[in-house]
Amino acid sequence: MTEQPARTFPSPAPGGRADRVPGEEALLTDGSTVAIRPLVPADRPQVRALHAERMSEASRRLRFLGSSRRAPELTADRLCGPPRPELYALGAWAEGVLVGEADFETASERPDTAELAVAVADAWHHRGVGSLLLEYLVHAARERGVTAFEADALAGNSAVHRLFSDLGLPVHRRYREGEVRVLVPLAGADTDEHYLRAVEERGRTADLASLTALLRPRSVAVLGASRRSGSVGQSVLGRIRDGGFRGEVWAVNPHAERVAGLPSYPSLEALPRIPELAVLAVPAAAVPAVAEECGRAGVRALVVLTSGLDAGQARELLHSCRVHSMRLVGPNSLGIAQTDPAVRLDAEFGGAFPAPGTAGVAVQSGGVGIALLERLAWLGIGVSTFVSLGDKYDVSANDLLQWWESDGRTDLALLHLESFGNPRAFARTARRVTRRFPVLTVDAGRSPAGRRGAAAHTAAAAVPAVTRAALFEQAGITATRSVAELVETAALLHAQPLPAERGAVAVVSNAAGIGVLTADACAEAGLDLPDLPDGLAARLRRALPDGAGTGNPVDITPAAGPDQLLHCLDLLEHSGVVDALVVCLVPTALTVDSEQDPLRGLLDGPGPRSLPVAAVRIDQEAPVSCLTARDGALVPAYADSRSAASALAGARARARMLARPAAAEAKLPGCDPAAAQRLVDGFLAERPDGGLLDPARTADLLEYYRLPLTTTVWAPDEHTAVLAARSLRLLGHGGRAVLRAHRTGPSARDSSRTVRSDRETRDAFRELTASPVGRAAGAVVRPAAAPGADLRVDVRQDEVFGPLVLLGLGGPTGELLDDRAARLAPLTDADPPEMVAELHADPLLPGHRPAGPADLHRVLVGAGRMATDLPQLTEARIGPVVVRSDGVLCTDARVRIEPRHPFDPYLRRLRRRPRPAADG
């Protein structure tokens, strides 16, 4: 399942053209592609043909519970007649042919229950058409307030009973006279783990089937393989040939008889067989036509090396891939490599063919890919699969994570991503995969300039750093700041065991200066360097030369030889005091003799250590290398202490992630999402363009999600403000009340005043409502809160990432320090305490140990649930949120509502086609 989000398609307009109805494209379990869209009147001939010609008599009997010659006609009339609000019908299309339909219809007396029907062409049985249609119907039904499906089926219709059972939702059956009445409740379909796992597994099966022709092809053709020496096409063709590809390889060039020593064919049709994979190295203008030719011939996957496609060419390319069920890597790709000895495909024009191994590598930038492969080769880390995603029109990191999860070879994933399509689906996949093996990425675009560059390079939306950090944190991904740091961390995770969750480090050096620098680097990376107990220090003194330092760092002195270093490391390893070792060795006059080189003590031990070990060797030229121990184990060695510390911090973070049980979505008992949706619908009915929610409805909305908002009074005029403040001052701390202007303009900003008297209230109201910033319709009056830690909870609805919940310090201090933590909503049980712990202000919160105040956790869960349930909530600011020892109080809130369609991040769909510039 790829990463591109798309909105659920709207209902068709009466009489709309079938080819103009918006739709989605998705993979079936055999890897082929179908388009899913609503049926329109123009589809009547196709609907009739589906039931009359593409279904056997036996299939029609099962579908219609008996035989009827008129059933296809009547069904076509019902599904393709004038639009009716009680009927919703979808079709699945393969290469322009309707291969399945599913519909539901409600009755006026039971609008929350819908009658369901499904039909699939005989030739498309057992390929997942019915399951895919039902997933889309479940989503559409829940949008329309339908809470259950009902259907009648013959008792002997095993296919449809299996379809319902495998859907992942509860199924209730009632038998009567050879028929079965099936009831499928839909409540919780968007959050039910069993259902989401079933959808996820179907998507994973489809993905793997579709990627086989790409990553394990039995035959490859290079189109655009030129006779010109050094050309991309000829280079790739030669690499496929020389790399020992186990399948058949052909060159296609109408102007040459031989290319790179291989026979050349004028066209695909002239080949002995149709290749499973085609590599395109043709000019940009020729790409759409060549892709269409490949699709018509039966090619199953494309790697497009060509760059510089305009939007129209891009749309035609992806259209051909969708219509003809081809998976696409690129365009602007460096190529792919598969090192499995059974395949050995080197279809890229980078550096040397990577050595076989267990690291899966996916990059968007070809230059980054070349550098990454070179550094991995230097370290001796082999690669299982390499994919240069290029402009990422189709195949994405999400696809590759699922491939690596199942290929039986990959145990480390390295990603370089500049953009995201469906981050929540990506995070869900990555969360599962990271529990099996490490997934590392370069956090590209941390600065505003970097985000602008990434957006220009990939045509993707610029993503704020805090949003990306939330994604990586929730997905369990180790995020690094550079390609160098990515490789340095990968070296440690590849070669060494993980530390214990505590992550205590001992630094051992033969020169005090480098030991101090390394200790500083470890502390700055967030690692703990505990004092060594007296007994351990005494044993170390006996094992080391005179003058050795036995604190932490441990200074073994330049006089220490390999046996003494070995004994020191053994003592530390078995002490139970530390969880990782950093060994810093510098060359000295005393270590010229290789027999006395303490490095031997690091490498010549009796066997692998139970703790991770990293070396620091400031005299080595490479930033990181791998030393080989006597037992064959690898020990990463770093030229800089900070690199070693950063790698260990990444390993410690992974150990902590694995130590936590997989968290479930946080529950919020007593919330009322239906009432909240009615409130939002009512507001948008009054204000179709949306805006800032009025204070009364804001208070109601927060109440629906159990967010403890203080007593507030809406004051449209000065007199009301005085009366409200006079009353609320009695409840406020220090006899004070607070007035906050309610502004509705797009540039509205918070502005408030604390008052102690009627006169101050009048002055404050006049000043606040007369401000030129925004349009003040009045003021919100509340009692002043008692002192406590001042926090703020924000919600943002990102077009790509969906709802994001942020927790940070309130007031000017919070704005200045930018101390905040973020998570994508909905939150899991683990997210709120982690967000609190990530704040630098955590120690200031009452009851902060061990994981923060429970009432604050509930506020975060409520804010996340509110944003998830209400896609129209584009922005909310809740704060100040005052945290005291007796609980949490939300003193104010601002909520912005805008018309938006709901988006289901787990609905299976492929990336939408790029639009040409003329389409906007």
Side-chain angles (χ1 to χ4, degrees), residues 690-717:
L692 202 63
L693 201 63
D694 57 82
R697 279 189 275 210
T698 298
D700 289 342
L701 182 61
L702 266 62
E703 177 66 26
Y704 295 146
Y705 287 94
R706 300 188 59 203
L707 296 171
L709 184 64
T710 188
T711 303
T712 60
V713 175
W714 166 238
D717 53 56

Side-chain angles (χ1 to χ4, degrees), residues 104-125:
F104 67 78
E105 188 168 1
T106 60
S108 56
E109 62 272 14
R110 297 178 64 194
D112 60 343
T113 301
E115 195 74 18
L116 175 69
V118 183
V120 177
D122 285 14
W124 288 77
H125 284 181

Side-chain angles (χ1 to χ4, degrees), residues 677-697 700 742 897-899:
Q677 188 62 62
R678 289 193 296 270
L679 182 150
V680 168
D681 292 343
F683 177 76
L684 289 175
E686 297 175 10
R687 299 182 58 180
D689 294 333
L692 202 63
L693 201 63
D694 57 82
R697 279 189 275 210
D700 289 342
H742 176 65
I897 302 294
E898 295 178 3

Side-chain angles (χ1 to χ4, degrees), residues 11-86:
S11 299
R17 277 183 52 183
D19 60 348
R20 295 292 178 85
V21 179
E24 304 286 0
E25 291 155 320
L27 295 172
L28 300 178
T29 53
D30 67 349
S32 57
T33 304
V34 293
I36 307 291
R37 63 168 177 79
L39 297 176
V40 296
D43 293 325
R44 189 186 183 285
Q46 288 267 20
V47 174
R48 184 195 174 283
L50 169 66
H51 292 87
E53 302 168 13
R54 298 169 198 149
M55 295 172 62
S56 65
E57 181 63 31
S59 294
R60 284 195 295 273
R61 188 180 306 111
L62 293 173
R63 163 66 178 84
F64 297 110
L65 308 182
S67 296
S68 171
R69 292 183 178 180
R70 297 198 61 209
E73 291 283 350
L74 295 174
T75 300
D77 290 341
R78 184 176 73 88
L79 299 181
C80 299
R84 294 182 288 127
E86 65 273 16

